[in-house]
Amino acid sequence: MSAHGQPVFEAQWQAHDVAPPPPPPPKVDVATVPRNSPCPCGSGKRFKQCHGALR
C-alpha cells in the first residue's frame, strides 16, 4: 500500500493502449471510376495506371 492507504499496482492495462483495427476500404464500382482520377485503392496512382490497367 502507498502512504495514502491506496493499493499500488505494478502495471495496469489500459483499454486505450490498444489501437482498433483500421476500417476496411470502401467498396467502389470500378466501372464508374474515370480513368484519370485517383485509384480508389489508395495507392496514389491514377486509376488507369493501377487497377484500371486490369480492365
Side-chain angles (χ1 to χ4, degrees):
M1 287 213 180
S2 70
H4 300 290
Q6 298 292 331
V8 177
F9 296 102
E10 294 293 325
Q12 193 175 35
W13 182 80
Q14 301 274 338
H16 64 274
D17 290 342
V18 179
K27 303 276 182 183
V28 177
D29 183 16
V30 295
T32 61
V33 178
R35 288 181 53 77
N36 287 321
S37 64
C39 190
C41 75
S43 67
K45 296 180 179 180
R46 289 184 292 171
F47 181 69
K48 69 181 180 181
Q49 297 293 326
C50 191
H51 285 88
L54 304 175
R55 274 207 246 186

